Amino acid sequence: MSDPTKNNQSTEYLLGALPEAETERLDELSITDNEFAVSLQAAEKDLVDAYVLGELTGAYLERFKTHYLASPLRREKVEFAKVLQSFGQQELAGPLARPEAAPTRRGRFAALGAFIAPPPILQWGLAAAALAMLIVGGWFAFDNVRLHRQMSQTAERRDLLLQREQELQKELENQRVLNSQTEQELARLRDERERLEQELKQAQAGVKPSPSEGTIVSLLLTPPLRGAGQLPTLSLRPNTNEVAAQLQLEAADYSAYRVALIDPANNQTLWRSGNLRARIQGARKAIAVSFRAGLLKPQNYVLQVSGIPAGGSAEIVGDYPFRVVK
């Protein structure tokens, strides 16, 4: 048996004394490199034999007890080595414990028995060969179990990395969809702003828009309060064809929002927006929506706002009631 402390890297790897990065590298190497795997098996055998024979001392002995023996499989290897060691000592001590000479049998078969019995040297050779085969077979069985466990752990790490990659790809795709919807909403808001600016210029010049062109009426709704008195009122003119509403939020805790126009008389949804992003409006954040004025008639309505968390389903944030008059 060679001194296990001479192969410092393999011994420190088996005793858990190497840095984490180096340990992971040797884990991978013990599976992919046959030459290293064979040398590691030999180093482990020497290390276990040294412990069983009481040859480990100092830091090596302490690490062997705290790290190596922490594994149930490795404890089985040590117990197996102890049994083989005990068996070998008993076999070696056997001839010393036997009588020097047994009484010889007399009779016609005495000479025949002496001729058939194998020589003592041959008996010891067969016993040694059987013991060697038993030791080699046992070590191969233990090493095969260890290699299978290491391969299983590597496959588990690979599956975890693959799952994380798929999750990141899904999040990236969701973000792309939200960005596309945001760009569409931004383009729509720009068109509305240009129409409002044109209407304002015409008003400043004293020119009223023709009935055929239609008008846009604006509606600003603040976060609803409990016990609030009068509802906000929206006055629609005969030529109004669109309503642009600004909904102020108490807190912008969601990555996207949706707005639905609901008739509270029958709880019917008359209109629903796509995904919207909140934007800063003064000291608060708000979301802007627009819908056809033809959906409204003189009565009460509710704009219901729902928040959409990342990777989750829509949650109702609040209801914004208002009243329509003509």
Side-chain angles (χ1 to χ4, degrees):
M1 181 190 70
S2 61
D3 186 359
T5 61
K6 291 183 179 180
N7 192 351
N8 290 334
Q9 187 183 44
S10 297
T11 302
E12 292 180 357
Y13 167 71
L14 293 170
L15 297 179
L18 294 178
E20 184 178 357
E22 184 67 10
T23 300
E24 292 181 356
R25 186 184 71 84
L26 294 183
D27 284 341
E28 189 74 19
L29 197 63
S30 65
I31 299 176
T32 59
D33 191 334
N34 292 332
E35 183 178 352
F36 176 75
V38 172
S39 66
L40 186 63
Q41 293 173 6
E44 185 175 13
K45 178 180 180 300
D46 293 340
L47 183 64
V48 172
D49 289 344
Y51 172 75
V52 172
L53 296 175
E55 297 176 356
L56 288 183
T57 59
Y60 284 99
L61 178 60
E62 185 65 23
R63 279 197 167 272
F64 189 92
K65 291 180 178 180
T66 58
H67 178 78
Y68 188 89
L69 293 181
S71 168
L73 177 61
R74 290 176 172 177
R75 288 198 298 269
E76 291 178 3
K77 290 185 178 182
V78 173
E79 293 299 324
F80 182 71
K82 287 181 179 180
V83 172
L84 291 180
Q85 179 68 20
S86 176
F87 176 76
Q89 290 177 352
Q90 292 177 3
E91 287 297 321
L92 291 176
L96 299 178
R98 296 191 186 98
E100 293 185 358
T104 57
R105 296 177 57 190
R106 295 184 179 182
R108 67 182 67 181
F109 296 105
L112 181 60
F115 177 77
I116 295 176
I121 296 177
L122 180 58
Q123 292 179 358
W124 279 106
L126 292 174
L131 179 61
M133 293 179 63
L134 180 62
I135 294 174
V136 172
W139 277 109
F140 272 117
F142 280 117
D143 288 335
N144 285 336
V145 172
R146 181 182 62 83
L147 290 176
H148 281 299
R149 288 190 177 182
Q150 290 181 348
M151 293 176 64
S152 177
Q153 293 174 355
T154 303
E156 289 179 0
R157 291 198 297 267
R158 179 202 60 193
D159 293 340
L160 289 176
L161 290 176
L162 179 60
Q163 181 180 0
R164 181 55 181 164
E165 180 183 357
Q166 293 175 350
E167 292 176 354
L168 290 176
Q169 289 178 350
K170 185 177 180 180
E171 292 178 3
L172 182 59
E173 185 64 27
N174 292 337
Q175 189 64 33
R176 288 174 179 171
V177 172
L178 287 176
N179 290 340
S180 176
Q181 293 174 346
T182 302
E183 291 176 357
Q184 295 175 2
E185 181 65 18
L186 179 60
R188 187 185 61 80
L189 291 176
R190 285 174 178 173
D191 293 340
E192 291 180 5
R193 179 177 57 81
E194 291 177 358
R195 288 196 298 269
L196 290 174
E197 289 178 353
Q198 185 66 28
E199 182 180 348
L200 180 60
K201 290 179 181 180
Q202 292 176 353
Q204 290 175 350
V207 178
K208 295 183 179 179
S210 62
S212 60
E213 293 179 356
T215 59
I216 300 175
V217 64
S218 298
L219 177 64
L220 176 62
L221 297 177
T222 59
L225 300 176
R226 291 185 178 180
Q230 188 175 2
L231 294 178
T233 301
L234 177 65
S235 180
L236 296 180
R237 299 176 183 178
N239 61 341
T240 302
N241 59 4
E242 190 170 358
V243 177
Q246 297 284 339
L247 308 178
Q248 293 184 348
L249 303 173
E250 289 184 341
D253 299 330
Y254 297 89
S255 59
Y257 294 87
R258 291 176 186 168
V259 179
L261 176 63
I262 298 176
D263 184 351
N266 53 18
N267 201 28
Q268 180 182 2
T269 300
L270 305 177
W271 169 86
R272 190 186 303 275
S273 73
N275 289 351
L276 306 171
R277 289 289 186 91
R279 58 179 182 171
I280 298 176
Q281 185 183 59
R284 292 188 174 183
K285 288 189 176 182
I287 52 179
V289 296
S290 63
F291 49 88
R292 291 188 304 107
L295 297 172
L296 305 176
K297 57 184 180 180
Q299 67 172 55
N300 294 342
Y301 292 92
V302 173
L303 285 174
Q304 187 176 81
V305 179
S306 300
I308 306 174
S313 57
E315 303 171 356
I316 296 177
V317 175
D319 293 336
Y320 293 74
F322 64 96
R323 184 165 57 93
V324 175
V325 296
K326 291 186 178 181

